[in-house]
């Protein structure tokens, strides 16, 4: 079964620090890698996404680093703020040839940013 | 607010019963996806409908079924419920069939508790 492995399960970071969440995948047919952010009581919301033709994508304080040969990608949150406290999910999706961009999710990382 | 609505927000029922979860996609979106989120399995893709037709199937049990109606709203039917079916059920929508990279917008979810 297609899998995306995410670590760590939980993360505590001080305000202003860097939060790093890692994911690894197995299926080389994956070619779209989004990160979703979920606050308690809410549905996941797209945060940032990358395709394998670039090694890094930055949007504000959020950066995805992508290593195609290692089949790994990571989310870096710079200058972490208490408002960033949420659960973060990495995901991966296949090519159009598969007929559907269904998402395969990692199990999530609960981030707590303490003042 | 993603624009995706789900009802009910909470549902408590007994084992062996049948329930129906409802989802209305964002205006203009033709695809609806259903996901199950549980503590041990994380977020798992169940099924996708595009413009009324089943497009892709994931880890959906035979006791579960879904459909998408002409007005594009979707219903997920869960029958012969077991304790293990207790979970958060999310609906997501996207503009097209998912054959190209599209953002999936998630609803707030329905929390199902089977006693």
């Amino acid at each position: 079964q297609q899998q995306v492995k995410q670590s760590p399960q939980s993360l505590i970071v001080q305000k202003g620090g860097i939060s790093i969440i890692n994911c690894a995948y197995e299926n080389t047919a994956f070619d779209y890698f989004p990160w979703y952010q979920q606050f308690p009581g809410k549905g996941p919301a797209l945060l940032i996404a990358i395709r394998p033709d670039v090694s890094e994508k930055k949007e504000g304080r959020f950066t995805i680093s992508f290593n195609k040969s290692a089949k790994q990608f990571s989310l870096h949150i710079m200058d972490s703020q208490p408002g960033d406290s949420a659960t973060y999910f990495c995901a991966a999706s296949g090519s159009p040839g598969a007929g559907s961009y269904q998402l395969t999710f990692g199990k999530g990382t609960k981030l707590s940013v303490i003042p | 607010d993603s624009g995706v609505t789900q009802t009910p927000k909470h549902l408590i029922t007994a084992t062996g019963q049948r329930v129906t979860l409802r989802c209305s996609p964002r205006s203009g979106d033709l695809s609806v996806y259903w996901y199950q989120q549980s503590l041990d399995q994380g977020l798992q893709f169940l099924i996708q409908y595009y413009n009324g037709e089943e497009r892709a199937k994931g880890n959906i049990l035979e006791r579960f079924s879904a459909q998408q109606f002409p007005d594009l709203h979707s219903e997920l039917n869960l029958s012969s419920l077991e304790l293990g079916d207790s979970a958060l059920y999310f609906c997501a929508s996207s503009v097209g069939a998912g054959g190209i990279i599209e953002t999936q917008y998630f609803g707030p979810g329905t929390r199902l508790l089977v006693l």
Side-chain angles (χ1 to χ4, degrees):
Chain A
Q1 186 175 352
Q2 299 174 349
Q3 281 191 337
V4 176
K5 294 182 180 177
Q6 184 172 346
S7 63
Q9 205 169 1
S10 62
L11 183 59
I12 299 174
V13 172
Q14 282 214 303
K15 178 182 173 182
I18 302 173
S19 304
I20 302 174
I21 305 170
N22 301 300
C23 285
Y25 63 98
E26 298 170 359
N27 189 341
T28 54
F30 287 146
D31 66 354
Y32 174 63
F33 302 89
W35 284 87
Y36 278 79
Q37 180 188 54
Q38 184 179 25
F39 292 104
K42 304 286 186 183
L46 179 67
L47 187 62
I48 185 172
I50 197 168
R51 293 205 71 183
D53 50 350
V54 295
S55 60
E56 186 174 283
K57 184 173 181 180
K58 185 175 180 179
E59 288 183 4
R61 297 184 293 108
F62 300 91
T63 301
I64 301 178
S65 298
F66 186 84
N67 185 329
K68 189 174 180 178
S69 60
K71 293 189 284 185
Q72 294 175 347
F73 58 111
S74 59
L75 176 69
H76 291 63
I77 306 174
M78 311 300 288
D79 187 26
S80 299
Q81 299 296 313
D84 297 329
S85 298
T87 300
Y88 292 81
F89 294 93
C90 62
S93 178
S95 65
S100 171
Y101 264 94
Q102 61 192 73
L103 294 168
T104 299
F105 283 89
K107 291 206 171 182
T109 297
K110 187 173 181 180
L111 172 65
S112 300
V113 181
I114 54 177
Chain B
D1 185 1
S2 67
V4 178
T5 61
Q6 289 187 248
T7 57
K9 196 163 185 170
H10 303 278
L11 201 47
I12 301 174
T13 188
T15 54
Q17 295 299 304
R18 182 179 188 273
V19 297
T20 298
L21 313 183
R22 182 188 170 105
C23 168
S24 292
R26 292 186 325 150
S27 177
D29 284 0
L30 298 178
S31 272
V32 169
Y33 309 77
W34 285 98
Y35 292 86
Q36 181 192 57
Q37 185 176 37
S38 60
L39 281 174
D40 54 341
Q41 294 294 325
L43 261 166
Q44 293 217 311
F45 168 72
L46 296 178
I47 197 164
Q48 178 200 358
Y49 276 81
Y50 169 69
N51 205 20
E53 294 193 2
E54 183 182 304
R55 179 77 179 183
K57 224 168 185 175
N59 300 317
I60 188 165
L61 299 171
E62 282 191 15
R63 301 182 285 108
F64 296 1
S65 65
Q67 54 184 329
Q68 187 179 28
F69 295 87
D71 67 352
L72 301 177
H73 91 272
S74 177
E75 291 181 356
L76 179 67
N77 300 295
L78 315 177
S79 61
S80 302
L81 284 166
E82 302 175 0
L83 294 176
D85 297 327
S86 296
L88 263 170
Y89 291 84
F90 286 105
C91 164
S93 73
S94 69
V95 172
I100 56 171
I101 295 173
E102 295 177 346
T103 299
Q104 292 185 24
Y105 296 88
F106 281 75
T110 293
R111 184 175 292 278
L112 173 67
L113 181 59
V114 182
L115 300 175

